[in-house]
Amino acid sequence: MNKQKLTLKDVAQMLEVSTATISNAFNRPDQLSAARREDILKACQRIGYHGPNKAAQILRKGQSNIVALVLADNIAYMVSDPVASTFIKGVSKVLHTHNKHLLLYSGNVESIRDVIDFVDGFICYGAPENTELTHQLTASSKPVVTVDFNIPGRPAIDIDNEQAAYEIAKRAIRPGDRVAILGLKLIASANTCRIYDSPLHCADSSISHRRLKGYQRAMQEQGIDTDNEWVWHIPESEGSYARQAAREVLNSHPRPDVVLCMSDIIALELLQYAGSQNIAVPGALRITGFDGIEEAARTRPNLTTICQSSLTKGEMAAERLISGSQESTQLPFDILAGETV
Amino acid sequence: MNKQKLTLKDVAQMLEVSTATISNAFNRPDQLSAARREDILKACQRIGYHGPNKAAQILRKGQSNIVALVLADNIAYMVSDPVASTFIKGVSKVLHTHNKHLLLYSGNVESIRDVIDFVDGFICYGAPENTELTHQLTASSKPVVTVDFNIPGRPAIDIDNEQAAYEIAKRAIRPGDRVAILGLKLIASANTCRIYDSPLHCADSSISHRRLKGYQRAMQEQGIDTDNEWVWHIPESEGSYARQAAREVLNSHPRPDVVLCMSDIIALELLQYAGSQNIAVPGALRITGFDGIEEAARTRPNLTTICQSSLTKGEMAAERLISGSQESTQLPFDILAGETV
DNA sequence: CTGTTAGCGCTTTCAT
DNA sequence: ATGAAAGCGCTAACAG
């Protein structure tokens, strides 16, 4: 077992060269002749020195080639969500081509300080559940790229959520409709519930509130009352929460004509429950989703939803972080005209 | 913007205490009075010093609280696979409770050296695609826990793959059957193909070869010929590869009576293709899976498969790494008696 | 209980 | 093209 106890200094002594030369052989090829470099590298190989210690390099250079991906929720949930995992895919793909590595970070931990000193930067995917993290990220001197939420002064990647919501709602609703909204993370509650007059959760930076605004704009244009009694909060885009909301909304009297859902997962759950209750879609009930996950296209009837590319988002976020560009981007979205409207 | 430029030394000067005292206030509460500690911590808070620099700590202490999870393939693929992502869930859950962080590492990169000097250890999930990594892991002085494959002298977590394969095969086959096997990563090829006489890929440590052995033992017991012509290699447990294999095997003449699949993803793809060809399951064709993913239970007819808990595997691997225990464990498995046999 | 000090292993001027 | 030396920021042994 190769104990990797050799330090650069040891090697320098063994080869009777200065430490600087060994260091240069590994890090700055232009600082010595190619031949000399070859010799040194070969000798190192032979004696089992595999290059400078990374921990020391990190301290000295202030660079680690590690990028932290701060997720909104705990890793466990994020990894199984199709939208989030596609995003992670995009990020990791780009990092890989730059020889950088990916540190997954939960949005519900206490602090970001465990890693802030050595990571090269942060990609922040959605507003972290622990809002303290947002402050720390704001104050940090490290590069930060935000996705699907906003920190003033930091580059952001997202889509025009309000416009997307407006456009899909416009397609779904007709004058005189009763419209319900199944929203995501609208208030600070761990339970599925109607929002009524609860104070909105970080209302300015959250994509959910943008979407809400878009929906409501479309409703107002049709002369429909916007009433928070018909807006549900769902804490996570996850089957079991969505199922509860689906039951509640479809068992309300009078039953809504349209339900606008802030994720496909929610919409699919609703669609399935509607099926089980023999409620015809779109005949008796119109449904819209949001995201454009693959399953939404496989379902019968297939879902009318907003299609956004999580993969592109991930790639772009990683590229932006690496390039250091401070530019923000709004990615395009498509309306996927399905059969549920 | 808080530039975090303060060092422990600066702070010591400002507060007119020695550096050791500041350091102790943060790391070793028992080394000074509670009151003094409180004062110091408060003062630090006030002047904006949030604790010792982590990069320096890592170098000094040789501990980073980062655990690398080495995946068999690239991260992109792993994150979307239900089995792998459940495993990641289990790992991250346990790491989280120990305030450790998760670094995702592709099994297809060149080397593990980028991180070996500072991570606290490795969890290795499946044989890394780049076999060089296995050597580096073997030689490393850091803790390593392997899952679903083996490095001599390192603790391993897995199930008895051979026995599981044997048992499920035994249920599926009858004397005189023609049996095909849809295997996973049996040979070193990027394409779906029959294995014929190709040399087997790391035959000793691979779970696929254990499963193959189990299947073949069951076949021999029934007096059935084991012939590699009827064994397919699939490079990844992924829909598109599986679809190809499904077509090939069901369009072979004579058509097999039983197909033993090394993953549920493969089996489900086969099941769907059989449906599209109006081949009755289990009437005209029996199918077995492996893993016990949720979707396998939702399908009609639901899949007969081996159920193993990826979540437990992940939790156990992380716990073993953290505790430093050198013990290996074989987790139990269940046969999920479905309707495809 | 507190302060001084010698490194952890490396990179990078700067002089040669 | 190469070598000597000063830290990067911290911790832990040791002495007080």
Side-chain angles (χ1 to χ4, degrees):
Chain A
M1 197 172 299
N2 175 1
K3 280 288 177 190
Q4 172 73 358
K5 288 206 113 25
L6 276 74
T7 72
L8 192 142
K9 211 166 153 191
D10 297 333
V11 175
Q13 255 164 4
M14 294 169 73
L15 304 188
E16 303 189 292
V17 224
S18 88
T19 60
T21 306
I22 309 283
S23 174
N24 286 332
F26 281 98
N27 305 310
R28 308 181 3 178
D30 53 310
Q31 299 294 301
L32 71 178
S33 72
R36 190 130 178 58
R37 183 172 127 93
E38 261 315 296
D39 284 353
I40 290 177
L41 258 29
K42 252 190 205 116
C44 287
Q45 178 86 25
R46 193 159 30 73
I47 64 186
Y49 179 73
H50 300 297
N53 179 295
K54 295 296 172 191
Q57 256 180 345
I58 293 173
L59 174 58
R60 182 58 230 243
K61 297 201 191 178
Q63 218 228 31
S64 62
N65 288 326
I66 300 176
V67 170
L69 175 53
V70 180
L71 300 167
D73 278 286
N74 61 77
I75 297 176
Y77 157 66
M78 282 284 150
V79 155
S80 54
D81 176 65
V83 181
S85 72
T86 306
F87 177 82
I88 297 176
K89 247 188 197 176
V91 171
S92 76
K93 209 175 117 190
V94 170
L95 292 185
H96 189 246
T97 70
H98 290 264
N99 293 311
K100 304 227 177 252
H101 300 287
L102 179 61
L103 180 71
L104 248 36
Y105 211 92
S106 287
N108 59 0
V109 297
E110 278 185 20
S111 156
I112 221 153
R113 304 240 158 79
D114 281 6
V115 302
I116 200 169
D117 292 326
F118 64 85
V119 298
D120 292 350
F122 296 89
I123 294 173
C124 195
Y125 184 57
E129 195 169 274
N130 176 2
T131 55
E132 179 55 28
L133 298 193
T134 305
H135 300 138
Q136 295 173 9
L137 250 12
T138 307
S140 165
S141 60
K142 300 269 179 160
V144 175
V145 174
T146 61
V147 180
D148 284 354
F149 99 119
N150 226 286
I151 292 182
R154 301 293 196 174
I157 312 283
D158 60 3
I159 64 167
D160 187 339
N161 280 282
E162 183 181 334
Q163 183 63 20
Y166 168 77
E167 288 183 21
I168 198 157
K170 194 166 171 183
R171 249 171 212 252
I173 63 187
R174 325 226 208 288
D177 274 347
R178 180 172 301 271
V179 178
I181 295 171
L182 292 188
L184 207 48
K185 301 185 196 179
L186 287 169
I187 60 175
S189 160
N191 304 308
T192 296
C193 58
R194 299 188 195 222
I195 69 173
Y196 297 113
D197 297 325
S198 313
L200 297 182
H201 192 46
C202 43
D204 40 339
S205 69
S206 142
I207 53 171
S208 296
H209 292 100
R210 296 265 176 67
R211 293 180 189 172
L212 186 57
K213 240 171 142 176
Y215 289 154
Q216 292 178 333
R217 177 150 62 91
M219 289 163 70
Q220 280 154 0
E221 276 188 11
Q222 304 283 339
I224 297 171
D225 218 38
T226 65
D227 181 346
N228 284 351
E229 193 184 327
W230 291 95
V231 179
W232 270 260
H233 155 80
I234 298 176
E236 268 184 20
S237 186
E238 206 249 326
S240 58
Y241 292 113
R243 215 134 42 217
Q244 289 168 16
R247 296 180 74 98
E248 273 192 40
V249 75
L250 293 190
N251 293 325
S252 298
H253 296 280
R255 198 175 69 209
D257 305 296
V258 178
V259 183
L260 307 170
C261 304
M262 289 201 193
S263 85
D264 286 353
I265 300 274
I266 297 173
L268 289 175
E269 216 55 71
L270 181 68
L271 192 55
Q272 188 169 333
Y273 185 67
S276 76
Q277 302 297 102
N278 293 313
I279 300 171
V281 175
L285 174 70
R286 276 159 275 142
I287 298 176
T288 67
F290 211 111
D291 286 336
I293 65 177
E294 283 177 24
E295 198 180 343
R298 283 201 296 264
T299 318
R300 282 300 103 110
N302 52 66
L303 197 59
T304 295
T305 189
I306 293 292
C307 181
Q308 56 173 328
S309 169
S310 293
L311 192 73
T312 308
K313 268 192 203 164
E315 292 170 349
M316 192 160 239
E319 264 151 17
R320 192 109 336 153
L321 189 78
I322 289 169
S323 75
S325 153
Q326 291 302 308
E327 205 182 329
S328 289
T329 299
Q330 276 207 330
L331 260 15
F333 60 85
D334 292 314
I335 294 193
L336 229 62
E339 305 157 341
T340 57
V341 152
Chain B
M1 199 171 301
N2 175 359
K3 279 290 178 192
Q4 170 72 358
K5 285 208 127 343
L6 276 74
T7 71
L8 192 143
K9 212 167 153 189
D10 298 334
V11 175
Q13 256 163 4
M14 295 169 72
L15 303 188
E16 304 191 293
V17 223
S18 87
T19 58
T21 305
I22 308 282
S23 174
N24 285 334
F26 281 99
N27 306 311
R28 305 180 3 176
D30 53 310
Q31 298 295 298
L32 71 178
S33 72
R36 191 130 177 59
R37 185 173 125 93
E38 263 314 297
D39 285 353
I40 291 177
L41 259 27
K42 249 185 209 122
C44 287
Q45 179 87 27
R46 191 160 32 72
I47 63 185
Y49 179 74
H50 300 297
N53 179 294
K54 293 297 171 189
Q57 257 182 342
I58 294 173
L59 173 59
R60 182 60 230 241
K61 297 203 195 180
Q63 218 228 30
S64 61
N65 288 326
I66 301 175
V67 170
L69 174 53
V70 180
L71 300 167
D73 279 285
N74 60 78
I75 296 176
Y77 158 65
M78 283 284 150
V79 156
S80 54
D81 177 64
V83 181
S85 71
T86 306
F87 177 82
I88 296 176
K89 250 189 197 176
V91 171
S92 75
K93 211 174 115 190
V94 170
L95 292 185
H96 188 247
T97 71
H98 290 265
N99 293 310
K100 304 226 177 250
H101 300 288
L102 180 59
L103 180 70
L104 247 35
Y105 211 93
S106 287
N108 58 1
V109 297
E110 278 186 19
S111 157
I112 222 154
R113 305 240 158 80
D114 281 7
V115 301
I116 199 167
D117 292 326
F118 64 86
V119 298
D120 291 351
F122 296 89
I123 295 173
C124 194
Y125 184 57
E129 196 170 272
N130 177 3
T131 54
E132 179 55 29
L133 298 194
T134 304
H135 300 137
Q136 295 172 9
L137 249 13
T138 307
S140 165
S141 60
K142 300 270 177 158
V144 175
V145 174
T146 61
V147 180
D148 285 355
F149 99 119
N150 226 286
I151 292 183
R154 302 292 195 175
I157 313 283
D158 61 4
I159 64 166
D160 188 339
N161 279 283
E162 183 180 335
Q163 185 64 20
Y166 168 76
E167 288 183 21
I168 199 158
K170 195 167 171 183
R171 249 170 211 253
I173 63 187
R174 324 227 208 287
D177 275 346
R178 179 174 302 271
V179 178
I181 294 171
L182 293 188
L184 206 50
K185 300 184 194 180
L186 287 168
I187 59 175
S189 160
N191 304 307
T192 295
C193 57
R194 301 189 192 220
I195 69 173
Y196 296 112
D197 297 325
S198 314
L200 297 183
H201 193 48
C202 43
D204 39 341
S205 69
S206 143
I207 53 170
S208 296
H209 293 98
R210 296 264 177 68
R211 293 181 189 172
L212 185 57
K213 240 170 141 176
Y215 289 152
Q216 292 178 332
R217 178 151 62 91
M219 291 164 70
Q220 280 155 0
E221 275 188 12
Q222 303 284 339
I224 296 171
D225 219 37
T226 64
D227 181 346
N228 283 351
E229 193 183 325
W230 291 93
V231 179
W232 269 261
H233 156 80
I234 297 176
E236 269 183 18
S237 186
E238 206 250 326
S240 59
Y241 291 113
R243 216 132 43 216
Q244 289 168 15
R247 295 180 74 98
E248 273 192 40
V249 74
L250 292 189
N251 292 325
S252 297
H253 296 280
R255 199 175 65 209
D257 305 294
V258 178
V259 183
L260 307 170
C261 304
M262 288 200 193
S263 85
D264 286 353
I265 299 275
I266 298 172
L268 288 175
E269 216 55 72
L270 181 69
L271 192 55
Q272 187 169 337
Y273 185 66
S276 76
Q277 303 297 101
N278 294 312
I279 300 170
V281 176
L285 173 71
R286 276 159 273 143
I287 298 177
T288 67
F290 211 110
D291 287 335
I293 65 177
E294 283 177 26
E295 197 179 343
R298 283 202 295 265
T299 317
R300 283 299 103 108
N302 51 64
L303 197 59
T304 296
T305 188
I306 293 292
C307 182
Q308 56 174 327
S309 170
S310 292
L311 192 73
T312 308
K313 266 192 204 165
E315 291 169 350
M316 191 160 238
E319 261 150 19
R320 192 107 339 152
L321 189 77
I322 288 169
S323 75
S325 152
Q326 292 301 305
E327 206 183 329
S328 289
T329 300
Q330 276 205 331
L331 259 16
F333 60 84
D334 292 314
I335 294 193
L336 228 63
E339 305 158 341
T340 56
V341 152

Coordinates of all heavy atoms in Angstrom, one line a residue, chain A residues 8 23 27 49 52-53 57 60, chain C residues 7-14:
Chain A
L8 N 6.8 17.2 -1.5 CA 7.6 17.8 -2.6 C 9.1 18.0 -2.1 O 10.0 17.8 -2.9 CB 7.0 19.1 -2.9 CG 7.4 19.8 -4.2 CD1 6.2 20.5 -4.9 CD2 8.4 20.9 -3.9
S23 N 8.0 21.7 -8.3 CA 6.7 22.4 -8.4 C 6.5 22.9 -9.8 O 5.4 22.6 -10.3 CB 6.7 23.6 -7.4 OG 5.5 24.3 -7.6
N27 N 3.4 22.2 -12.3 CA 2.4 23.3 -12.6 C 2.8 24.3 -13.7 O 1.9 24.9 -14.2 CB 2.3 24.1 -11.3 CG 1.9 23.3 -10.1 OD1 1.0 22.5 -10.2 ND2 2.6 23.5 -9.0
Y49 N 5.7 9.5 -6.3 CA 5.2 10.8 -6.0 C 4.2 11.2 -7.1 O 4.6 11.3 -8.2 CB 6.3 11.8 -5.8 CG 5.8 13.2 -5.5 CD1 5.4 13.5 -4.2 CD2 5.9 14.2 -6.4 CE1 5.0 14.8 -3.9 CE2 5.4 15.5 -6.1 CZ 5.0 15.8 -4.8 OH 4.6 17.0 -4.5
P52 N 1.9 17.4 -6.3 CA 1.7 18.2 -5.1 C 0.4 17.8 -4.4 O -0.6 17.6 -5.0 CB 1.6 19.6 -5.7 CG 2.3 19.5 -7.0 CD 2.1 18.2 -7.5
N53 N 0.5 17.9 -3.1 CA -0.6 17.7 -2.2 C -1.7 18.7 -2.5 O -1.4 19.9 -2.4 CB -0.1 17.7 -0.8 CG -1.2 17.5 0.2 OD1 -2.1 18.3 0.3 ND2 -1.2 16.5 1.0
Q57 N -2.1 22.8 -1.9 CA -2.4 23.6 -3.1 C -3.6 24.5 -2.9 O -3.5 25.7 -3.3 CB -2.6 22.7 -4.3 CG -1.4 22.7 -5.2 CD -1.6 21.8 -6.4 OE1 -2.5 21.0 -6.5 NE2 -0.7 21.9 -7.4
R60 N -2.6 27.3 -0.6 CA -1.7 28.3 -1.2 C -2.3 29.0 -2.4 O -2.2 30.3 -2.5 CB -0.5 27.4 -1.7 CG 0.6 28.2 -2.3 CD 1.2 29.2 -1.3 NE 1.2 30.5 -1.9 CZ 2.3 31.2 -2.1 NH1 3.5 30.7 -1.7 NH2 2.3 32.3 -2.8
Chain C
dG7 P 9.7 22.4 13.2 OP1 9.2 21.0 13.0 OP2 11.2 22.6 13.4 O5' 9.3 23.4 12.1 C5' 8.7 22.8 10.9 C4' 7.4 22.1 11.2 O4' 6.5 23.0 11.9 C3' 6.6 21.8 9.9 O3' 6.1 20.5 10.0 C2' 5.5 22.8 9.8 C1' 5.3 23.3 11.2 N9 5.0 24.7 11.3 C8 5.9 25.7 11.2 N7 5.3 26.9 11.2 C5 3.9 26.6 11.3 C6 2.8 27.4 11.4 O6 2.8 28.7 11.4 N1 1.6 26.7 11.5 C2 1.6 25.3 11.5 N2 0.4 24.8 11.6 N3 2.6 24.5 11.5 C4 3.8 25.2 11.4
dC8 P 6.1 19.5 8.7 OP1 6.4 18.2 9.2 OP2 6.8 20.2 7.6 O5' 4.5 19.6 8.3 C5' 3.5 18.9 9.0 C4' 2.2 19.2 8.3 O4' 1.7 20.5 8.7 C3' 2.3 19.2 6.8 O3' 1.9 18.0 6.3 C2' 1.4 20.4 6.4 C1' 1.1 21.1 7.7 N1 1.6 22.5 7.7 C2 0.7 23.6 8.1 O2 -0.5 23.3 8.3 N3 1.2 24.8 8.1 C4 2.5 25.1 7.9 N4 2.9 26.3 8.0 C5 3.4 24.0 7.6 C6 2.9 22.8 7.5
dG9 P 2.9 17.1 5.4 OP1 2.2 15.8 5.1 OP2 4.2 17.2 6.0 O5' 2.9 17.9 4.0 C5' 1.7 18.0 3.2 C4' 2.0 19.1 2.2 O4' 2.1 20.3 2.8 C3' 3.2 18.8 1.3 O3' 2.8 18.6 0.0 C2' 4.0 20.1 1.5 C1' 3.0 21.1 2.0 N9 3.5 22.2 2.8 C8 4.5 22.1 3.8 N7 4.8 23.2 4.4 C5 3.8 24.1 3.8 C6 3.6 25.5 4.1 O6 4.2 26.2 4.9 N1 2.6 26.0 3.3 C2 1.9 25.3 2.4 N2 1.0 25.9 1.7 N3 2.1 24.0 2.1 C4 3.1 23.5 2.9
dC10 P 3.7 18.8 -1.3 OP1 3.2 18.0 -2.3 OP2 5.1 18.6 -0.8 O5' 3.5 20.3 -1.7 C5' 2.2 20.7 -2.1 C4' 2.1 22.2 -2.1 O4' 2.7 22.7 -1.0 C3' 2.8 22.9 -3.3 O3' 1.9 23.1 -4.3 C2' 3.4 24.1 -2.7 C1' 3.1 24.0 -1.2 N1 4.2 24.3 -0.3 C2 4.4 25.6 0.2 O2 3.6 26.5 -0.2 N3 5.4 25.9 1.0 C4 6.2 24.9 1.3 N4 7.3 25.2 2.2 C5 6.1 23.6 0.9 C6 5.1 23.3 0.0
dT11 P 2.4 23.6 -5.7 OP1 1.3 23.3 -6.7 OP2 3.7 23.0 -5.9 O5' 2.6 25.1 -5.5 C5' 1.4 25.9 -5.3 C4' 1.8 27.4 -5.2 O4' 2.8 27.5 -4.1 C3' 2.4 28.0 -6.4 O3' 1.8 29.3 -6.5 C2' 3.9 28.1 -6.1 C1' 3.9 28.3 -4.6 N1 5.1 27.9 -3.8 C2 5.6 28.8 -2.9 O2 5.2 29.9 -2.7 N3 6.6 28.2 -2.1 C4 7.2 27.0 -2.2 O4 8.1 26.7 -1.4 C5 6.6 26.1 -3.2 C7 7.1 24.7 -3.3 C6 5.6 26.6 -3.9
dT12 P 1.9 30.1 -7.9 OP1 0.5 30.6 -8.0 OP2 2.5 29.3 -8.9 O5' 2.8 31.3 -7.6 C5' 2.7 32.0 -6.3 C4' 3.9 32.8 -6.1 O4' 4.9 32.0 -5.4 C3' 4.6 33.4 -7.4 O3' 4.9 34.7 -7.1 C2' 5.9 32.5 -7.5 C1' 6.2 32.3 -6.0 N1 7.0 31.1 -5.7 C2 7.8 31.1 -4.6 O2 7.9 32.1 -3.9 N3 8.6 30.0 -4.4 C4 8.5 28.8 -5.2 O4 9.3 27.9 -4.9 C5 7.6 28.8 -6.3 C7 7.5 27.7 -7.2 C6 6.9 30.0 -6.5
dT13 P 4.6 35.8 -8.2 OP1 4.1 36.9 -7.5 OP2 3.8 35.1 -9.3 O5' 6.1 36.1 -8.9 C5' 6.7 37.4 -8.6 C4' 7.2 37.5 -7.2 O4' 7.5 36.3 -6.6 C3' 8.5 38.3 -7.2 O3' 8.4 39.5 -6.4 C2' 9.5 37.4 -6.8 C1' 8.8 36.3 -6.0 N1 9.3 34.9 -6.3 C2 10.2 34.4 -5.3 O2 10.6 35.0 -4.3 N3 10.7 33.2 -5.6 C4 10.4 32.4 -6.7 O4 10.9 31.2 -6.8 C5 9.5 32.9 -7.6 C7 9.1 32.1 -8.8 C6 9.0 34.2 -7.4
dC14 P 9.3 40.7 -6.6 OP1 8.9 41.7 -5.5 OP2 9.2 41.1 -8.0 O5' 10.8 40.2 -6.3 C5' 11.1 39.8 -5.0 C4' 12.5 39.1 -5.0 O4' 12.4 37.8 -5.4 C3' 13.5 39.8 -5.9 O3' 14.6 40.2 -5.2 C2' 13.8 38.8 -7.0 C1' 13.5 37.5 -6.3 N1 13.1 36.4 -7.2 C2 13.6 35.1 -6.9 O2 14.2 34.9 -5.8 N3 13.2 34.0 -7.7 C4 12.5 34.3 -8.8 N4 12.2 33.2 -9.6 C5 12.0 35.6 -9.1 C6 12.3 36.6 -8.3

